Amino acid sequence: MAARGGGAVSIVEYFTEDEGGKCGYCKGTSSNYSNGMWAHGMTVQDYQDLIDRGWRRSGMYVYKPTMNRTCCPQYTIRCHVLDFKLAKSSKKVLKKMTRFLSKGEVAKGGGVEPMDSHSEDTGFGHLPVACTSEVNIDIEKPLKIVSLEEEIPESSKIQEKPQPDGAGEKGVPGQKHPFAEANDITESFKSIPKPGRGADPNKPPCRKAKDVRRERKLEKLLQKQQQIEVVDVSLHQEPSCANPCTLPLQHQATQANQPKLLEELISESLSPDAVHQLEVRLVRSSPPNSQFKATFQESYQVYKRYQMAIHKDPPDKATEQQYTRFLCQSPLQAENPPDGPDSGYGSFHHQYWLDGKIVAVGVIDILPQCVSSVYLYYDPDYAFLSLGVYSALREIAFTTQLQKTAPNIRYYYMGFYIHSCPKMSYKGQYHPSDLLCPETYVWVPIEKCRTKLDQSKYNRLNEDPNAEDEQSFRDLGKVLVLYRSTAMPYSIYQRRQKRANDEAAVRQYASLVGQTCAERILLYRS
């Protein structure tokens, strides 16, 4: 929906039901607690801010676990893609895929992987149903906006002091300069004592293998330093035909003897001469583009087989209508700013095509600071390829590519981490990762959280006992509501709708979304 001025706005309808539901993790019948709202439309920035407060979407339904009440607390988890380090288990999955694609090898004993989907949390207990409210909203129709200034007489206006802009993120401490590091290594190399003679002067001296390996490593680092120094000198010279710029040499020197990057390991499996050909296509699902429409039926059939084989759903449950509500409909409005990624922001399907047919689909949201994984489903016949882990690695690599054109996209959100559930705790293997503190909404490295979560399922996580939620609810009157097609602060709505008895619900909503979102997102009022 457009505001009076052309900008997109978010519109939600908050539900106050507080009954416990069935838990898909511990199988409790009425121990799963959460708050939810139906999003009739939502900007990508608003959704980014909401998931940074522990919210998550399932179709058009957006929910937030009640962390201190629910049986299996669900902590939002994100991975730093720019510093991503491959675990041995992830390398094995990539090598398994490479052997299958290049030679057709099928791993023996391959079955359904323990972490068959890296987004199982969306599938349990939060399947959206059609919204039954009588809200009739024309998304394209401009809204009428009533401000406090328009409603309050001139004599009673309150002069407010302008709020200062939020402080920027603190800079990451710089790493040690490579030249200084190389000099330290050189000094260490010079200080290594020369080996003594052996018992027989005609035979080489007896030396420990680890000393030999250490000396070889230091020799290579010394050569690396010398190469960098040559490049450093050349950078101060004007490039010409006789003296071309040798910047690529520096890149080659710094990459020497480094472990292969994720992108390199993925590209190795995509040879045009391989026995099997794998292609990943990004198609916009909301609003659906022509590619999405053309492949809808094939993609749905993969989903249906997945739900029946992996989650044991009966055939009449995984219907086309349920699939559409769950994984195709999205409240996120497509945005294509000039400084954004080429694909734009919004909701997409990442389709994995093997030899001309769809074998897996990753449902993702591309947001201003991250790629958020929504769900994954795949053809059960290819479970031996560990497609849950493989697709997560491909999405991490995809996020890294987006970051090159949209620098603010630096994180890969994996949904929820549940420490007590093996199907959800495996997400901690993607390093480095953070968990979201459920009280102060700051990110905490997962290494600092594990011991606390071993002791208690629910934990504050933030180590600072004095820290508070910076977006905590402060002013109920400034909550933005939509009433009779008019956007207005809640204080004006109360004066116009004198019989309104919804203050407790609005107060709860504002405390969960935070003050900034409460003043920006339109809360529907009947």
Side-chain angles (χ1 to χ4, degrees):
M1 174 174 282
R4 186 180 63 189
V9 296
S10 303
I11 300 175
V12 299
E13 189 172 358
Y14 182 69
F15 304 122
T16 57
E17 288 83 355
D18 198 27
E19 297 180 359
K22 182 179 179 180
C23 178
Y25 309 110
C26 68
K27 308 305 179 183
T29 56
S30 59
S31 56
N32 182 21
Y33 290 89
S34 65
N35 298 98
M37 53 191 181
W38 188 268
H40 295 274
M42 184 165 287
T43 67
V44 292
Q45 185 59 59
D46 284 339
Y47 186 58
Q48 175 74 66
D49 292 342
L50 286 177
I51 63 174
D52 284 337
R53 291 186 63 84
W55 292 83
R56 182 160 169 75
R57 79 173 184 88
S58 177
M60 304 282 285
Y61 183 70
V62 187
Y63 63 97
K64 184 182 189 300
T66 309
M67 297 288 283
N68 58 352
R69 292 187 65 196
T70 193
C71 53
C72 299
Q74 302 160 54
Y75 298 85
T76 302
I77 182 172
R78 71 177 186 182
C79 176
H80 298 248
V81 298
L82 297 183
D83 301 316
F84 178 67
K85 294 178 177 61
L86 273 169
K88 288 184 179 180
S89 58
S90 298
K91 290 181 181 179
K92 288 181 180 179
V93 171
L94 291 173
K95 290 177 180 178
K96 179 167 58 176
M97 177 64 77
T98 299
R99 289 194 297 269
F100 172 74
L101 294 177
S102 59
K103 302 177 182 179
E105 292 184 7
V106 177
K108 294 182 180 180
V112 178
E113 55 187 317
M115 58 291 285
D116 48 77
S117 172
H118 52 284
S119 301
E120 286 297 324
D121 44 292
T122 309
F124 286 131
H126 294 292
L127 290 178
V129 296
C131 184
T132 57
S133 72
E134 298 179 356
V135 182
N136 184 15
I137 300 172
D138 185 351
I139 297 297
E140 301 300 326
K141 184 178 179 180
L143 289 174
K144 180 182 178 182
I145 300 176
V146 176
S147 66
L148 288 170
E149 286 76 10
E150 294 177 67
E151 181 78 8
I152 302 174
E154 188 70 28
S155 59
S156 60
K157 284 186 180 179
I158 301 175
Q159 298 296 326
E160 295 186 359
K161 295 182 181 179
Q163 297 294 325
D165 294 333
E169 295 184 0
K170 295 182 179 180
V172 178
Q175 297 179 348
K176 193 173 183 180
H177 196 281
F179 294 152
E181 185 176 356
N183 286 333
D184 292 343
I185 295 170
T186 305
E187 291 302 320
S188 175
F189 175 65
K190 289 178 181 179
S191 64
I192 296 176
K194 295 181 179 179
R197 292 190 177 184
D200 187 346
N202 296 322
K203 292 182 180 181
C206 182
R207 305 170 60 197
K208 290 184 179 180
K210 66 178 183 179
D211 292 334
V212 175
R213 291 194 298 268
R214 182 167 179 264
E215 184 172 327
R216 287 176 181 171
K217 181 178 180 180
L218 292 172
E219 286 177 350
K220 290 178 180 178
L221 289 171
L222 180 62
Q223 293 173 358
K224 173 182 171 181
Q225 180 205 8
Q226 292 171 345
Q227 289 176 328
I228 293 175
E229 288 174 348
V230 171
V231 173
D232 186 59
V233 172
S234 66
L235 290 176
H236 294 283
Q237 300 175 0
E238 289 294 329
S240 63
C241 294
N243 180 36
C245 180
T246 53
L247 187 58
L249 176 60
Q250 183 183 15
H251 176 73
Q252 294 171 6
T254 55
Q255 293 297 319
N257 301 314
Q258 295 294 320
K260 291 184 178 179
L261 298 174
L262 172 60
E263 292 81 356
E264 294 174 324
L265 290 172
I266 291 174
S267 64
E268 287 180 355
S269 65
L270 306 179
S271 169
D273 301 326
V275 174
H276 298 289
Q277 295 297 318
L278 178 66
E279 179 187 2
V280 181
R281 302 177 187 174
L282 182 70
V283 297
R284 184 178 284 278
S285 56
S286 179
N289 63 12
S290 58
Q291 290 177 305
F292 178 85
K293 294 177 180 178
T295 58
F296 177 86
Q297 277 300 325
E298 183 176 357
S299 184
Y300 163 64
Q301 291 302 325
V302 174
Y303 167 78
K304 186 174 182 179
R305 292 191 62 201
Y306 173 82
Q307 292 296 122
M308 292 173 61
I310 306 302
H311 293 300
K312 310 304 178 184
D313 284 357
D316 60 345
K317 183 177 181 180
T319 64
E320 187 173 315
Q321 183 183 25
Q322 184 260 358
Y323 166 71
T324 301
R325 288 201 308 264
F326 180 27
L327 297 176
C328 302
Q329 292 180 349
S330 170
L332 302 187
Q333 299 161 16
E335 298 180 26
N336 292 275
D339 57 346
D342 294 337
S343 59
Y345 298 115
S347 299
F348 299 82
H349 279 196
H350 229 189
Q351 299 176 340
Y352 294 78
W353 290 76
L354 180 64
D355 299 332
K357 69 173 185 178
I358 298 176
V359 297
V361 177
V363 182
I364 61 173
D365 293 328
I366 301 179
L367 304 175
Q369 278 116 40
C370 73
V371 168
S372 175
S373 177
V374 178
Y375 201 69
L376 170 83
Y377 55 93
Y378 56 79
D379 188 332
D381 291 344
Y382 296 91
F384 65 90
L385 290 174
S386 302
L387 291 172
V389 174
Y390 181 76
S391 63
L393 296 172
R394 289 298 298 258
E395 288 173 5
I396 290 173
F398 174 65
T399 307
T400 304
Q401 290 298 315
L402 292 180
Q403 195 274 338
K404 294 177 180 178
T405 55
N408 287 335
I409 299 179
R410 304 176 63 185
Y411 303 102
Y412 173 60
Y413 283 50
M414 296 174 279
F416 289 135
Y417 171 91
I418 302 178
H419 191 69
S420 57
C421 178
K423 269 197 171 185
M424 305 302 293
S425 62
Y426 81 92
K427 297 178 182 182
Q429 74 181 7
Y430 298 103
H431 182 78
S433 293
D434 302 323
L435 298 184
L436 186 68
C437 172
E439 296 180 10
T440 61
Y441 303 108
V442 298
W443 295 98
V444 183
I446 194 170
E447 291 79 11
K448 295 184 178 181
C449 303
R450 287 195 172 102
T451 301
K452 297 178 180 179
L453 295 175
D454 284 339
Q455 299 171 353
S456 174
K457 288 183 179 181
Y458 174 76
N459 196 284
R460 172 184 167 92
L461 299 185
N462 191 336
E463 295 180 341
D464 183 358
N466 298 318
E468 298 179 353
D469 174 17
E470 294 183 356
Q471 286 293 320
S472 61
F473 163 73
R474 296 181 300 275
D475 190 342
L476 182 66
K478 291 185 177 180
V479 174
L480 194 61
V481 302
L482 178 64
Y483 177 60
R484 294 184 178 178
S485 299
T486 303
M488 64 186 71
Y490 183 70
S491 58
I492 295 178
Y493 162 76
Q494 281 186 309
R495 289 196 290 269
R496 292 190 177 188
Q497 180 64 291
K498 299 185 183 301
R499 291 180 297 174
N501 58 352
D502 56 359
E503 184 172 323
V506 175
R507 189 179 299 276
Q508 183 185 63
Y509 155 82
S511 68
L512 294 173
V513 302
Q515 189 72 30
T516 297
C517 282
E519 295 180 17
R520 195 171 61 204
I521 297 175
L522 286 167
L523 175 65
Y524 174 78
R525 299 284 87 190
S526 59

